[in-house]
Amino acid sequence: MIVTEILLEFFLETRQHTERLCKPLEIEDYVVQPIVDVSPPKWHLGHTTWFFEEFILKHHKEGYTLFSDDFAFVFNSYYESIGKRVVRTDRGNLSRPTVDQVYAYRKYVTEALKDLLEGDVSAEVTKLLTIGIHHEKQHQELLATDIKYILGNNPLMPVYGGDISFRESVKETPQSQWTHITEGVYEIGHNTPEFCYDNELGRHKVYLHDYAISNTLVTNGEWIAFIEAGGYNKTLLWHAEGWDWVQKNNIECPMYWHKVGDKWYHYTLEKGLQEIDESAALAHISYYEAFAYAQYKGLRLPTEFEWEVASKHLDWGDRWEWTESAYLPYPGYKKEEGALGEYNGKFMVNQKVLRGGSVATPSRHTRHTYRNFFQTGLRWQFTGLRLAK
Ligand code: AVJ
Ligand code: FE
């Protein structure tokens, strides 16, 4: 089977885009890990490269020599079946390999893949290449949000700069309306020939009762009203775990928000600290906050199934939307074989599903069956919410 030029083009474009995201960084920005969830940009650059080397080149390219025997230890993220690795909390302690060496590694692996793809390749390689591309795209989103965390938590709050605009203060339509869906049996899960992750498969039927879902995301202005109504102090709105999280971390507003005088500001990649636009879609809240807000409104979050069914009637893609659904396997879920079985399946405990996409999601990445997932207290992604009833 010949890898179409289109797939090769897709691969090269993806590799380039990752580097373009890092272009505005200073060397020091590449190395730090301010919290465990945020990885150093240098680590993302190396890890996405290691993924292609480990899963494709090592097994499918004749005579391939690893760029470095040490890099699997440094850039393996969480694949227990592949081998030992730097513990996650130590990713920011790696002053070596240097940024230059990591860029050289990227070049070496990209060239080796280009060379491999110029010949005849198996359906297996085509499949692995497609996963590798989508994997790198997931890391492009993580790169954008990790860079935002690194810069936005630096006391100087530097502007990111560069030529990529994230439209972070994307406006919501002022007229919020309810979209009504009639009760019945609906099919959930992926069913096109296009790529999807294993966690979207096991298409199955669910029964949904009559429900309504908002055609808009909750806005910054609506969130300010929640703050002013004492939402963060009203214990009855919160889960026990959410309330503990608020107390322990002194949470009073979304991540990146700062009150100066009586006005709210937030850190943005594009312009640094900016006055908040009340009509823009809210971002950077945890599941706990999304839930408390729905309680305060006397409403609820949609389930991931309600979201998927309604999505064809909605405008979506600016924010990852917290749902009420636990991240669980669909009936009939089958893990990928081998180490790739560790990619999604082993995280199906204690996490919530987010649907949609965000201003940091790269092109051709998300879809209406895509299942993102995070732990309930995390909010450095562009996370927001849409209400249901
Ligand atoms: C789907 C965003 C939760 O961050 O671990 C990256 C994406 N998977 N490499 C994550 C992912 C493997 C994943 N999330
Ligand atoms: Fe990864």
Side-chain angles (χ1 to χ4, degrees):
M1 188 170 166
I2 295 187
V3 175
T4 61
E5 275 174 32
I6 294 170
L7 193 54
L8 178 58
E9 200 41 53
F10 194 28
F11 168 70
L12 294 174
E13 183 274 323
T14 303
R15 298 289 285 168
Q16 273 162 20
H17 187 73
T18 304
E19 296 182 13
R20 201 171 145 226
L21 280 163
C22 294
K23 197 104 182 284
L25 300 181
E26 298 293 346
I27 289 293
E28 292 82 351
D29 301 326
Y30 278 96
V31 190
V32 295
Q33 182 180 27
I35 53 169
V36 59
D37 310 290
V38 167
S39 294
K42 181 173 74 178
W43 186 88
H44 286 292
L45 292 171
H47 165 70
T48 48
T49 304
W50 166 81
F51 192 93
F52 287 110
E53 188 176 59
E54 173 63 40
F55 289 103
I56 304 182
L57 295 172
K58 206 169 124 179
H59 305 287
H60 300 277
K61 190 165 199 267
E62 231 180 86
Y64 179 75
T65 317
L66 293 178
F67 181 82
S68 160
D69 291 338
D70 298 326
F71 279 15
F73 186 79
V74 176
F75 293 124
N76 175 1
S77 50
Y78 54 63
Y79 299 89
E80 301 286 348
S81 59
I82 290 177
K84 292 218 183 327
R85 70 214 80 89
V86 168
V87 293
R88 186 172 179 131
T89 45
D90 276 351
R91 288 179 189 169
N93 297 335
L94 300 166
S95 59
R96 310 295 170 94
T98 66
V99 171
D100 276 352
Q101 285 168 327
V102 172
Y103 275 113
Y105 179 39
R106 288 186 67 84
K107 193 158 176 233
Y108 179 85
V109 165
T110 300
E111 287 303 317
L113 263 156
K114 234 161 106 178
D115 188 58
L116 175 72
L117 301 175
E118 263 149 28
D120 267 7
V121 294
S122 62
E124 174 69 2
V125 167
T126 308
K127 185 190 148 186
L128 293 169
L129 178 67
T130 306
I131 294 178
I133 293 170
H134 286 277
H135 174 251
E136 183 145 347
K137 282 178 174 280
Q138 285 185 317
H139 279 275
Q140 288 171 356
E141 175 146 14
L142 294 166
L143 257 171
T145 51
D146 290 3
I147 291 168
K148 181 165 179 175
Y149 195 95
I150 289 166
L151 301 180
N153 284 282
N154 183 299
L156 305 182
M157 289 197 219
V159 167
Y160 167 61
D163 56 358
I164 298 176
S165 158
F166 289 105
R167 303 165 31 253
E168 286 161 281
S169 287
V170 58
K171 299 254 191 224
E172 261 315 312
T173 24
Q175 262 337 327
S176 186
Q177 272 161 8
W178 292 107
T179 298
H180 294 268
I181 309 283
T182 317
E183 78 171 334
V185 176
Y186 292 92
E187 295 225 355
I188 295 298
H190 188 87
N191 76 334
T192 77
E194 299 290 298
F195 171 80
C196 75
Y197 284 109
D198 60 0
N199 61 11
E200 296 163 63
L201 292 174
R203 191 168 157 92
H204 63 287
K205 297 182 183 69
V206 297
Y207 193 87
L208 299 181
H209 293 273
D210 282 341
Y211 66 101
I213 190 165
S214 176
N215 70 334
T216 57
L217 296 165
V218 169
T219 63
N220 291 330
E222 290 170 310
W223 201 265
I224 290 171
F226 171 70
I227 296 174
E228 287 174 354
Y232 283 101
N233 308 316
K234 290 188 171 151
T235 175
L236 293 179
L237 300 177
W238 298 78
H239 285 111
E241 226 179 87
W243 184 247
D244 287 348
W245 174 83
V246 167
Q247 303 309 306
K248 197 171 144 219
N249 301 292
N250 293 316
I251 305 288
E252 296 175 329
C253 59
M255 186 177 272
Y256 299 118
W257 284 37
H258 302 271
K259 203 167 187 183
V260 186
D262 56 1
K263 281 208 176 95
W264 283 106
Y265 289 77
H266 65 157
Y267 174 78
T268 63
L269 283 166
E270 216 170 323
K271 296 183 182 149
L273 198 63
Q274 281 289 298
E275 202 177 313
I276 278 177
D277 179 347
E278 296 204 10
S279 61
L282 170 75
H284 301 300
I285 50 150
S286 65
Y287 163 78
Y288 299 132
E289 289 164 288
F291 176 85
Y293 183 83
Q295 289 278 300
Y296 151 78
K297 296 297 276 186
L299 301 165
R300 63 178 177 82
L301 303 178
T303 66
E304 63 166 322
F305 310 116
E306 289 172 332
W307 191 96
E308 186 168 318
V309 169
S311 64
K312 55 174 170 293
H313 308 290
L314 302 172
D315 231 354
W316 54 269
D318 295 332
R319 299 288 182 259
W320 286 105
E321 304 178 27
W322 286 108
T323 73
E324 195 49 279
S325 298
Y327 178 47
L328 295 173
Y330 288 166
Y333 169 68
K334 278 195 207 68
K335 274 188 200 179
E336 292 279 341
E337 299 269 308
L340 280 178
E342 295 188 51
Y343 196 115
N344 286 312
K346 69 180 185 179
F347 301 111
M348 291 172 174
V349 63
N350 293 333
Q351 307 211 31
K352 288 281 190 181
V353 173
L354 299 97
R355 292 301 197 104
S358 88
V359 292
T361 309
S363 66
R364 298 165 68 188
H365 187 61
T366 189
R367 55 198 154 264
H368 74 112
T369 58
Y370 191 102
R371 305 173 79 202
N372 205 352
F373 52 91
F374 283 103
Q375 281 113 359
T376 42
L378 297 181
R379 54 186 197 158
W380 93 113
Q381 299 299 302
F382 286 90
T383 47
L385 82 146
R386 181 188 302 277
L387 293 166
K389 60 180 183 184

